[in-house]
Amino acid sequence: MSNAKERKHAKKMRNQPTNVTLSSGFVAERGTKHHNGGKPFHAQKQEPHSGPSQQRQTKTTPHSLPAPDANEQSSSKIMFKKKGGWKAGPDGASQEIPKYITASTFAQARAAEISAMLKAVTQKSSNSLVFQTLPRHMRRRAMSHNVKRLPRRLQEMAQKEAEKSVHQKKEHSKNKCHKARRCHINRILEFNRRQKKNIWLETHIWHAKRFHMVKKWGYCLGERPTVKSHRACYRAMTSLCLLQDLSYYCCLELKGKEEEILKALSQMCSLDTGLTFAAVHCLSGKRQGSLVLYRANQYPREMLGPVTFIWKPERTPGRASESRQLWIWLHPTLKQDILEEIKAVCQCLEPIKPNVCIPNTLLTPCEEKSQTKLAGEKIGKKRKRKDDGEDDKPAKKVTGCGTRDPCQPYSWVSPTTGIVISDLTMEMNRFRLIGPLSHSILAEALKAASVHTGEEDTEETLHRWWTDTCNNPESVSLHRRQEAIFELLGGITSPAEIPSGAILGLTVGDPRINLPQKRSKALANPEKYSDNEKVRQLLLEGVPVECAHSFIWNQEICKSVTENKISDQDLNRMRSELLVPGSQLVLGPKESKIPILLIQQPGKVTGEDRLGWGSGWDVVLPKGWGMAFWIPFIYRGARVGGLKEALVHSQYKGSPNIPGDYPDCPAGVLFAEEQAENLLEKYKRRPPAKRPNYVKLGTLAPFSYPWQQLTQDWASRVQTQEAPSVASSPRGDESDSGRNEVPRAPALESAHQPPGRVAMSVNDPKEPEVMDTACQDQAQTEMVMDQGDSESLVAIRSQFCVLRNKKFLKQLSAWCGPGSEARRAAWRAPSKDKQELTRDLSILDQFPRALVWVSLSLLRKGSPEPHTMICVPAQEDLLQLSRDGHYCGPQEPRHCDPFKSTILKQKKEKEKLERRQRRGCAVPGGWAAGQVALTLGLWPGPLLGVTRHCSRVLLGFVTQGDFSMAAGCGEASGFVSLTGLLDMLSQQPAASRGLVLLRPPASLQYRWARIAVEV
């Protein structure tokens, strides 16, 4: 028998008995074969009618039965010959078949074999269950719990297994349901522990069940819904209502004298960019304002970021010395830089230490005491439940300031100016409702708080502040006026009809009491208030100043409102005790009163198309009440959006998104670097054959925005172009007869030309000297930047900036439009006004390297994406477009890849070095250190000649773009070089002015688009 057959035979017989004890001597000692190191192997006598078990050879054990007599032993020494007959034994003597056997001893031997066989059959040799031993075609799913599904011969064994498994199961606690047993022993403590690194909003658990969550800016935020809802969210923003949680926005509070606050903050803003903190409507507390902050006295460079602000309504108008309160709302990425700068200008460097310093914010003293007791008890010992309410207090959910370190100061005071700065981050919730039905949802979900009369017992109520307010007739009268204005919102078709930034203060009741049984859709009812004069007055004048007052400005009242909130469990218990199920729950004086602020968001305010799109309301409310307002808004028909929907909202409005669309602020630089790293890592994960080769496509920067190189190349390019024109003609553009006539006044022409062209004006002969000096200073700055690579961030700040001068942007917006007689006639002005305009726009002479925020709309097919290149069309492109109206655009010729051979050579050298290392040979260390890491398909090293790398001159980049469902075509927004834009506009004819070419980074096809500067 071969080895394979022996192994197969052994596998089959592994469950059979290997040692059988015999009582008779039918064993012959085999002399030719030994077992276990020379010990004789004993064989059982073969019977004519014996079964397979009798043919098997076994080894006798010391525990055998008494030995048989001599005759039986001598007769058992014969062996069976394979081909018939009998042969001699080991001693060569001829043996014969025995003539008789002893029946008792033979039967006893067979009984031992049978018992061993039955034991092997009934005993399992593996850990599998009985029904798992069946062939697969005989198995059924019900066999695991229904014994009668098994064959009858196996039912008894299965029943024993089932009874055995029942005794082994762990007994579950009877006072816990299945869902409670799966949860953590203390869910709130577990949630508080998981918020150490990334803070949760109050609506986090609701979002985590329905949204893709991301960890950004120190928070866990919902990025996008798990369901496909891109078009649904757009429809909600356009005709219904979209709800967003903006509670992650930071709030900085400034308290002090009005004149001191304005004097300090005036250093961080400029009138050129628009209204400041001292705007009349904003200073009175009637409107919300927005502006861009810079470092002190560094405008237009050193930009910090955009903010919105709200002044607390003043009690006695006209008193500048009165103590005022200012809230500044900003994005979390901008908080650190702006907070440090505000502390510097306000001289608030002395921190106010907190009263109590708790070492661990996640555990209360009662919980720490209970954990200390539990540590000494035995782990396996069962503890009884404690019914004492004082000793067993439930853990509280950490909200607001509980998520930050209490040992760190969050308030600073100035000993000289008396200004106090406080960080109110996470101390308030802020929800944003976008869409024309946002005010209708507010009107149905929120009800003004009821005024307490003298009949209620004031000792039982926990809202003592509201009781004191109701005792004041002036406060009650103001509350009635606010309630009347709030009810008028139901008769307005869109929030865009109300003046932008209007603020309405209000005190509302608990919105959970008015929660409907099923989700419904709130609708506007303008017919109800169509003839009401109050609605018309509200649309024209907005909310009165006195109605902007709210108790949310008082931190003590907000703290009382948060602590005295009725829990959902108690509220549901009260509902279950109602005599009529589903009826209105009336709490009376026990009902919570919540002070809130309603702030109107204007939506799209720039350009001429879709004005007012995306308008809505912001609701500011105390902490701890997030979910109490969130669910009623959803039950009235609001659809919830995340960060992706916020990006789409800003894109359709044509406004920059924070922080990606602010390249001249520190947060924007860090955001661009992180985005470039993520895109590069994603690009390298794909094999070279499955990713685009950007070198062959002529894309220098597919993952980043080289704003510094772009502005630098345009400045040097215009200087080289204007050098020969200055020598030939003092009025360069006017002597160009090859162009179509562009109607522009001399001053307007000099204002919109690049800085070099402005220097050629004959009206101001001293301008060229100033311009040359500025250019020399910038050239020296470039040399310093090349030498100090470690200070790249500082160099970028000092090199380029974003143009935000409102007056110049209006002129530039008119200049970008297509040529028309009405538009050109509107901008014609006398010579005196032209000179004043030239002096007002002298900032272009001082800072020629500026970027301009522009909007792009594709003329035909094409969908722009981020990092799309904005290029200047050539003369032949414009000529071809004028001849053929269906001309799609030119195509970029394919570039060659000069780095491919070098990369392949480096790859071979690397493989050769790895083979030498595996062999144990010495590897030269200088070769690997001197090599530059190259990636196939990407341009290595510093970028040179950004504008002239392709066949069309580069003008800028797209930062956000996609197919617009509002316009029905591709739309995008981005930045272009101011110098390049003016140079392009001065060379284009009037009929095609403002046309540019767009090319995605992974394509060779250019697409036509129209550029616009919306102000």
Side-chain angles (χ1 to χ4, degrees):
M1 184 182 293
S2 63
N3 295 335
K5 290 184 178 180
E6 289 179 359
R7 288 194 299 268
K8 186 176 181 180
H9 183 266
K11 184 177 180 180
K12 286 184 177 180
M13 307 300 293
R14 67 173 181 261
N15 295 330
Q16 303 300 326
T18 56
N19 298 324
V20 180
T21 303
L22 302 178
S23 61
S24 61
F26 298 101
V27 179
E29 184 174 350
R30 199 180 281 183
T32 59
K33 191 173 183 179
H34 298 278
H35 185 64
N36 292 337
K39 295 182 180 179
F41 184 83
H42 300 276
Q44 180 179 325
K45 179 176 175 63
Q46 308 296 328
E47 294 293 334
H49 303 285
S50 60
S53 62
Q54 297 177 0
Q55 298 177 5
R56 189 162 52 98
Q57 296 178 351
T58 60
K59 185 178 67 174
T60 59
T61 61
H63 306 284
S64 60
L65 296 174
D69 53 4
N71 294 334
E72 292 179 353
Q73 291 182 0
S74 61
S75 63
S76 63
K77 292 183 179 180
I78 61 173
M79 298 184 66
F80 180 77
K81 193 173 182 180
K82 202 169 188 179
K83 294 185 178 181
W86 295 89
K87 68 176 183 178
D91 54 353
S94 177
Q95 302 292 340
E96 295 180 359
I97 299 175
K99 295 181 179 180
Y100 66 92
I101 61 173
T102 305
S104 60
T105 56
F106 184 79
Q108 190 175 2
R110 301 291 81 74
E113 289 183 355
I114 293 172
S115 62
M117 181 182 64
L118 292 177
K119 183 179 180 181
V121 171
T122 56
Q123 185 178 5
K124 291 197 308 179
S125 60
S126 62
N127 296 328
S128 59
L129 300 176
V130 175
F131 73 91
Q132 293 175 341
T133 60
L134 292 173
R136 293 190 179 274
H137 70 279
M138 294 181 63
R139 298 182 188 179
R140 297 294 182 269
R141 186 184 304 162
M143 291 179 178
S144 60
H145 56 83
N146 189 359
V147 178
K148 294 184 179 180
R149 288 283 186 177
L150 286 165
R152 290 184 179 179
R153 61 184 178 86
L154 300 176
Q155 288 183 6
E156 184 179 356
M157 296 176 59
Q159 187 66 30
K160 293 179 180 179
E161 288 182 352
E163 294 175 358
K164 185 178 179 182
S165 61
V166 168
H167 294 295
Q168 292 179 352
K169 285 185 179 180
K170 183 180 179 181
E171 294 184 1
H172 297 292
S173 177
K174 294 183 179 180
N175 55 5
K176 286 186 178 181
C177 62
H178 174 70
K179 186 176 180 181
R181 288 195 301 266
R182 292 184 60 189
C183 294
H184 193 267
I185 189 171
N186 194 326
R187 185 186 301 179
I188 295 181
L189 284 181
E190 176 66 11
F191 288 167
N192 295 342
R193 183 192 62 82
R194 289 159 62 181
Q195 299 186 57
K196 282 186 176 181
K197 293 184 179 179
N198 297 282
I199 303 174
W200 290 4
L201 305 183
E202 293 186 15
T203 59
H204 170 80
I205 296 181
W206 190 95
H207 278 92
K209 296 177 181 179
R210 300 164 179 88
F211 275 68
H212 294 283
M213 306 300 291
V214 293
K215 295 179 180 179
K216 273 189 174 183
W217 314 313
Y219 298 89
C220 285
L221 305 176
E223 185 182 20
R224 65 186 188 280
T226 53
V227 298
K228 294 182 179 180
S229 58
H230 179 71
R231 289 181 176 272
C233 290
Y234 166 73
R235 287 193 294 266
M237 288 185 285
T238 304
S239 56
L240 301 175
C241 179
L242 184 76
L243 178 62
Q244 291 178 336
D245 189 356
L246 301 184
S247 302
Y248 60 90
Y249 265 64
C250 304
C251 179
L252 302 179
E253 183 185 60
L254 277 72
K255 289 183 180 179
K257 295 182 179 180
E258 178 183 311
E259 55 182 8
E260 295 290 344
I261 295 177
L262 292 177
K263 180 180 178 181
L265 296 180
S266 62
Q267 307 174 37
M268 301 178 61
C269 52
S270 175
L271 287 172
D272 295 338
T273 61
L275 299 178
T276 62
F277 291 101
V280 177
H281 290 294
C282 301
L283 191 61
S284 62
K286 185 179 180 180
R287 306 273 181 90
Q288 175 187 252
S290 61
L291 49 82
V292 178
L293 294 182
Y294 295 82
R295 294 197 181 273
N297 304 319
Q298 297 295 325
Y299 171 82
R301 305 181 188 275
E302 302 285 340
M303 200 271 288
L304 296 177
V307 298
T308 58
F309 62 94
I310 305 173
W311 285 95
K312 182 181 179 181
E314 52 187 352
R315 299 176 182 175
T316 54
R319 294 182 56 184
S321 59
E322 182 183 356
S323 179
R324 297 294 302 275
Q325 206 168 339
L326 173 66
W327 282 352
I328 301 177
W329 293 85
L330 62 155
H331 196 269
T333 57
L334 313 173
K335 172 186 170 182
Q336 197 61 32
D337 295 327
I338 293 180
L339 177 59
E340 295 298 329
E341 192 66 22
I342 292 179
K343 286 163 57 178
V345 297
C346 295
Q347 302 177 12
C348 297
L349 304 178
E350 184 177 347
I352 300 177
K353 297 182 180 180
N355 298 330
V356 181
C357 183
I358 305 174
N360 189 358
T361 59
L362 301 181
L363 296 177
T364 61
C366 298
E367 295 161 1
E368 291 181 356
K369 185 177 180 181
S370 62
Q371 284 197 356
T372 307
K373 292 181 179 179
L374 293 178
E377 298 179 359
K378 295 182 180 180
I379 298 177
K381 189 176 179 180
K382 193 172 182 180
R383 298 183 299 271
K384 293 184 178 180
R385 253 187 176 179
K386 295 181 180 180
D387 297 329
D388 297 335
E390 299 178 357
D391 298 336
D392 191 14
K393 292 183 179 180
K396 292 185 178 180
K397 183 179 178 180
V398 174
T399 56
C401 62
T403 57
R404 57 191 185 188
D405 187 7
C407 301
Q408 184 178 353
Y410 288 92
S411 296
W412 299 266
V413 64
S414 173
T416 57
T417 60
I419 300 177
V420 179
I421 301 177
S422 301
D423 183 9
L424 301 183
T425 302
M426 294 296 294
E427 288 300 294
M428 288 174 286
N429 290 302
R430 183 159 184 164
F431 298 155
R432 176 164 293 178
L433 290 88
I434 304 171
L437 295 183
S438 56
H439 60 282
S440 301
I441 291 177
L442 289 175
E444 288 196 15
L446 306 180
K447 302 298 179 183
S450 59
V451 178
H452 289 179
T453 59
E455 300 176 359
E456 290 90 353
D457 189 3
T458 58
E459 295 182 358
E460 296 181 359
T461 180
L462 298 175
H463 311 286
R464 187 64 60 87
W465 65 274
W466 182 246
T467 305
D468 298 340
T469 303
C470 295
N471 294 332
N472 188 354
E474 296 181 359
S475 300
V476 173
S477 175
L478 178 60
H479 178 70
R480 298 296 186 189
R481 294 186 59 186
Q482 291 175 341
E483 182 181 0
I485 294 177
F486 179 70
E487 291 177 355
L488 293 178
L489 296 179
I492 300 175
T493 57
S494 174
E497 300 179 2
I498 300 178
S500 61
I503 299 175
L504 173 62
L506 193 63
T507 303
V508 298
D510 196 336
R512 297 173 293 177
I513 297 178
N514 302 323
L515 195 67
Q517 295 292 337
K518 296 182 180 180
R519 292 186 62 173
S520 59
K521 184 180 293 185
L523 299 175
N525 189 11
E527 299 178 356
K528 183 178 179 181
Y529 304 93
S530 58
D531 298 334
N532 197 339
E533 288 293 334
K534 295 182 179 180
V535 176
R536 300 175 186 176
Q537 184 179 1
L538 177 63
L539 298 179
L540 293 176
E541 301 179 1
V543 181
V545 179
E546 58 273 10
C547 292
H549 175 267
S550 175
F551 291 101
I552 199 172
W553 292 93
N554 192 331
Q555 297 298 321
E556 296 297 331
I557 293 179
C558 291
K559 184 178 179 181
S560 174
V561 170
T562 302
E563 292 178 351
N564 297 325
K565 174 189 173 184
I566 303 176
S567 64
D568 294 340
Q569 182 179 4
D570 296 340
L571 208 61
N572 294 332
R573 179 180 52 80
M574 296 178 189
R575 285 197 181 101
S576 64
E577 294 174 356
L578 292 174
L579 296 179
V580 180
S583 60
Q584 182 69 26
L585 181 63
V586 180
L587 298 180
K590 297 181 180 180
E591 182 182 357
S592 300
K593 311 297 186 300
I594 308 101
I596 64 172
L597 270 182
L598 299 179
I599 307 171
Q600 194 268 354
Q601 295 297 323
K604 191 175 187 299
V605 294
T606 59
E608 300 176 355
D609 300 333
R610 307 193 305 272
L611 288 177
W613 184 93
S615 60
W617 291 90
D618 279 10
V619 184
V620 181
L621 49 118
K623 67 177 181 181
W625 285 88
M627 288 302 298
F629 282 75
W630 186 262
I631 298 300
F633 291 158
I634 296 175
Y635 266 61
R636 260 69 179 198
R639 176 177 286 273
V640 182
L643 296 178
K644 182 181 178 182
E645 285 69 30
L647 179 62
V648 173
H649 180 238
S650 63
Q651 177 183 340
Y652 282 17
K653 286 198 309 179
S655 60
N657 186 50
I658 306 173
D661 294 333
Y662 289 88
D664 54 340
C665 75
V669 174
L670 294 177
F671 177 82
E673 292 177 356
E674 294 176 358
Q675 186 183 40
E677 291 178 0
N678 296 336
L679 293 176
L680 179 60
E681 183 182 356
K682 182 179 179 180
Y683 179 80
K684 289 183 177 180
R685 284 199 301 262
R686 304 180 66 183
K690 303 298 181 182
R691 65 191 187 194
N693 190 329
Y694 291 112
V695 177
K696 293 185 178 181
L697 294 173
T699 305
L700 282 178
F703 310 133
S704 60
Y705 303 103
W707 305 120
Q708 175 61 31
Q709 290 86 345
L710 178 68
T711 55
Q712 180 179 350
D713 289 357
W714 267 109
S716 59
R717 184 172 183 272
V718 171
Q719 290 177 7
T720 55
Q721 287 180 355
E722 295 302 326
S725 62
V726 171
S728 60
S729 174
R731 303 177 60 88
D733 284 345
E734 295 180 1
S735 63
D736 190 359
S737 58
R739 302 179 188 168
N740 297 335
E741 291 185 0
V742 181
R744 28 175 206 242
L748 188 61
E749 177 184 356
S750 62
H752 290 288
Q753 288 174 351
R757 298 180 184 267
V758 178
M760 293 181 296
S761 177
V762 295
N763 296 331
D764 196 356
K766 296 182 180 180
E767 228 169 349
E769 298 180 0
V770 177
M771 187 60 206
D772 293 340
T773 306
C775 293
Q776 292 176 3
D777 295 340
Q778 291 159 7
Q780 293 175 1
T781 309
E782 294 171 12
M783 296 175 62
V784 172
M785 179 188 174
D786 295 337
Q787 295 174 359
D789 294 336
S790 61
E791 301 178 356
S792 59
L793 184 60
V794 180
I796 290 176
R797 290 177 182 172
S798 61
Q799 285 296 318
F800 75 93
C801 62
V802 177
L803 183 66
R804 296 184 177 89
N805 190 309
K806 294 290 184 181
K807 188 174 183 180
F808 181 73
L809 288 176
K810 289 181 180 179
Q811 300 290 337
L812 196 61
S813 176
W815 185 257
C816 288
S820 62
E821 292 297 333
R823 185 181 296 273
R824 290 195 294 266
W827 288 101
R828 288 197 179 104
S831 58
K832 181 178 179 181
D833 297 337
K834 298 171 191 175
Q835 295 176 0
E836 293 179 356
L837 179 62
T838 305
R839 288 195 294 268
D840 291 340
L841 301 179
S842 60
I843 186 174
L844 294 177
D845 302 337
Q846 302 175 11
F847 307 100
R849 298 182 186 177
L851 299 175
V852 183
W853 173 259
V854 296
S855 299
L856 300 159
S857 178
L858 273 77
L859 300 184
R860 291 173 184 84
K861 61 188 301 185
S863 179
E865 60 185 35
H867 301 92
T868 296
M869 291 167 282
I870 307 172
C871 301
V872 179
Q875 294 293 337
E876 53 270 18
D877 300 334
L878 297 174
L879 183 61
Q880 181 70 17
L881 181 63
S882 62
R883 293 175 180 175
D884 185 8
H886 299 282
Y887 178 54
C888 296
Q891 193 168 4
E892 177 72 17
R894 187 174 292 273
H895 296 226
C896 62
D897 190 356
F899 309 102
K900 186 174 182 179
S901 59
T902 306
I903 293 174
L904 294 178
K905 184 178 179 181
Q906 289 184 1
K907 184 178 180 181
K908 292 180 179 179
E909 292 290 340
K910 185 179 179 181
E911 293 176 354
K912 187 185 296 184
L913 290 176
E914 290 178 354
R915 287 196 298 268
R916 294 186 62 182
Q917 287 179 355
R918 286 194 296 266
R919 296 172 188 169
C921 302
V923 179
W927 182 88
Q931 293 293 326
V932 179
L934 300 178
T935 303
L936 186 62
L938 295 180
W939 192 274
L943 304 179
L944 301 175
V946 176
T947 57
R948 277 296 184 183
H949 181 71
C950 300
S951 60
R952 302 301 184 271
V953 181
L954 183 65
L955 188 63
F957 293 95
V958 170
T959 58
Q960 53 176 323
D962 199 356
F963 181 82
S964 174
M965 289 180 284
C969 63
E971 285 190 347
S973 300
F975 290 94
V976 297
S977 172
L978 175 60
T979 307
L981 180 62
L982 294 176
D983 182 74
M984 182 193 73
L985 294 177
S986 62
Q987 297 181 12
Q988 286 183 342
S992 59
R993 190 177 305 158
L995 292 180
V996 294
L997 293 173
L998 300 183
R999 183 167 73 91
S1003 175
L1004 296 174
Q1005 181 66 44
Y1006 288 92
R1007 300 290 182 184
W1008 288 103
R1010 184 169 296 280
I1011 195 169
V1013 179
E1014 297 181 349
V1015 184

